Amino acid sequence: MKIGELAKAANCGTETIRFYEKEGLLPAPDRTEGNYRNYRDEHLERLRFIRNCRSLDMTHDEIRQLLRFADDPDSGCGPVNQLLDEHIGHVDIRLKELRALRSLLVDLRHRCAQADSIAHCGIIQGLASMPAEEKQMSKTHLG
């Protein structure tokens, strides 16, 4: 199939396919005599795998590892479990960070119980008077 057909079947854009090829996640297809990419069902399966991993916020490095595991079907799945456990840990950290962010936003929102003029807006005043903290880097690759 041509790149447009693969994109349609995988529900993504052609640029996404080219990007994954460039990143080494999707193998380059054979070329036709007219130099068109000629994808096979294996490309579609791998592309779906990659897109499903991305929808779970996995990094390209995590996806590469999973693809290496998938390409060796006779090996044990212990490393796959470990990778997923680590990723779940990243998600847990991000959830904690998001709960802290939500708490700050709710506290800020409570400063302005009713609509008033901007001059008396508790949110605007709170943002202006809060100490500016150094941006904290997320402790995970998800942030």
Side-chain angles (χ1 to χ4, degrees):
M1 68 187 96
K2 292 182 181 175
I3 193 167
E5 295 167 314
L6 177 64
K8 185 175 181 179
N11 198 26
C12 69
T14 57
E15 289 303 314
T16 299
I17 295 168
R18 288 185 187 103
F19 177 75
Y20 289 146
E21 283 180 26
K22 182 179 168 194
E23 288 292 307
L25 295 171
L26 190 65
D30 295 331
R31 297 281 184 152
T32 65
E33 287 183 24
N35 204 30
Y36 288 103
R37 290 174 168 93
N38 189 22
Y39 295 95
R40 299 182 313 274
D41 288 338
E42 296 83 24
H43 288 97
L44 176 59
E45 182 179 325
R46 194 168 184 105
L47 182 56
R48 284 182 177 153
F49 184 96
I50 294 165
R51 292 191 28 86
N52 286 330
C53 289
R54 289 297 299 142
S55 74
L56 297 171
D57 281 330
M58 292 184 176
T59 65
H60 289 174
D61 286 338
E62 289 172 321
I63 297 168
R64 278 186 195 89
Q65 289 178 33
L66 287 173
L67 287 169
R68 278 194 296 273
F69 299 145
D71 289 341
D72 186 10
D74 294 329
S75 63
C77 68
V80 175
N81 292 339
Q82 181 179 352
L83 185 144
L84 202 62
D85 288 342
E86 290 173 9
H87 190 68
I88 290 168
H90 297 152
V91 171
D92 288 340
I93 291 168
R94 186 64 180 139
L95 286 170
K96 182 180 176 185
E97 293 170 346
L98 287 170
R99 281 191 292 274
L101 173 61
R102 184 183 191 286
S103 178
L104 287 172
L105 291 168
V106 167
D107 289 346
L108 195 58
R109 178 59 181 93
H110 286 143
R111 291 177 178 231
C112 192
Q114 60 186 11
D116 204 344
S117 68
I118 292 295
H120 297 99
C121 178
I123 296 170
I124 298 294
Q125 291 172 358
L127 288 169
S129 64
M130 288 171 60
E133 295 183 14
E134 186 175 326
K135 171 110 171 98
Q136 297 292 318
M137 292 299 292
S138 178
K139 296 178 181 82
T140 170
H141 65 273
L142 299 175

